[in-house]
Amino acid sequence: MSEPTINNRKIVLNKKLVSFGKNQIKLGGYDWHVLMILIENHGKIVSSDILVSTAWEGKIVTKASLTQSISNIRAALGDDGKNQRYLKTIAKAGYTIPSNAISYGKSRRLNLQHSFIYKFPLIILSFIFGIALERPIFDSIHFLNNREKIKIYNEEPFKKDELVISASFLNENLNVKPNTPRNLNLLKDIANNVYIDASDKNYNFIFTSKNFPPINISANSTPDITRAFESAIDSYAKHINNEY
């Protein structure tokens, strides 16, 4: 995927920095997470509550932390609170990066031209391979906005060596829980939680991370749930490695 550009400044995804000319600005972890959420949802307003609860997940912080983060991001993008050309404050609503403020290479534009199939939240059908990838560019905001409203029926950790991944089950009818996936170690450093849901035809695995937007992998329910989970992990890891 081509890296996004804002104000002729390239967002270097794999190094978590903003580059322009010979200059490079390295953003802090929380600032980077806020920027990623805003980029993935450019053209949409993301509330302050969502940004704080997602970027600082599990931590108690004040809105002042977000205000400082927004200021740091604006400085990196060559923007400021007065002009707000690239990162706008929407009074009593949140923040947004306007669609016309961000550009991608040709490959990204082609993806967006065919992205209507990803507008259905959290469920994607795959008729050939039984595995599909939800592009987060449209749907991460749906998941973020509804995460606190979603009922969790059960939670348990999956452990392998020193790696622990928290799993949240969203379906009370999910009678069979997956065993620990053999490839769980692929999630090291790229996911810390997975939400698991099931329908008659599909399993849905929504992976979340402090460094990447939520991504949903939908797997055909024909194989057992453990195999479906392993396939979803493979697809997610390949996507993160290729995109970031």
Side-chain angles (χ1 to χ4, degrees), residues 94-227:
Y95 299 91
T96 184
I97 292 178
S99 294
N100 60 5
I102 188 169
S103 62
Y104 292 91
K106 181 177 179 181
S107 61
R108 179 68 174 214
R109 290 198 298 271
L110 288 174
N111 283 334
L112 293 181
Q113 289 172 4
H114 296 86
S115 60
F116 65 91
I117 63 173
Y118 300 112
K119 293 184 180 179
F120 297 96
L122 304 183
I123 297 178
I124 297 176
L125 302 180
S126 174
F127 299 101
I128 300 177
F129 301 106
I131 270 290
L133 174 65
E134 175 188 345
R135 297 290 300 196
I137 193 71
F138 284 105
D139 290 329
S140 62
I141 190 63
H142 173 89
F143 182 70
L144 291 174
N145 279 330
N146 290 278
R147 177 159 52 178
E148 294 182 357
K149 302 176 184 177
I150 294 174
K151 185 174 182 179
I152 296 174
Y153 291 91
N154 188 27
E155 290 183 292
E156 62 181 64
F158 287 100
K159 301 178 181 179
K160 188 169 185 179
D161 298 326
E162 297 181 357
L163 178 64
V164 179
I165 300 295
S166 176
S168 302
F169 297 92
L170 308 181
N171 193 319
E172 62 180 340
N173 297 320
L174 190 60
N175 297 320
V176 180
K177 301 294 192 300
N179 297 319
T180 299
R182 291 172 297 178
N183 57 349
L184 188 71
N185 61 305
L186 293 178
L187 297 180
K188 184 178 180 181
D189 299 327
I190 63 172
N192 60 345
N193 196 18
V194 58
Y195 295 81
I196 302 175
D197 194 13
S199 65
D200 292 338
K201 297 182 179 180
N202 290 83
Y203 296 119
N204 292 288
F205 302 91
I206 304 107
F207 297 91
T208 65
S209 165
K210 294 183 180 299
N211 298 316
F212 309 105
I215 293 176
N216 177 62
I217 304 290
S218 182
N220 191 292
S221 60
T222 300
D224 66 76
I225 189 170
T226 301
R227 287 181 56 198

Side-chain angles (χ1 to χ4, degrees), residues 31 56 62-75 95:
D31 297 345
W56 287 269
T62 66
K63 293 291 178 65
S65 297
L66 176 60
T67 301
Q68 182 60 55
S69 184
I70 293 295
S71 178
N72 295 341
I73 294 169
R74 281 179 172 146
Y95 299 91

Side-chain angles (χ1 to χ4, degrees), residues 67-90:
T67 301
Q68 182 60 55
S69 184
I70 293 295
S71 178
N72 295 341
I73 294 169
R74 281 179 172 146
L77 298 178
D79 202 359
D80 56 57
K82 180 179 179 180
N83 292 302
Q84 298 187 21
R85 291 170 294 175
Y86 310 108
L87 201 174
K88 296 182 179 295
T89 300
I90 309 300

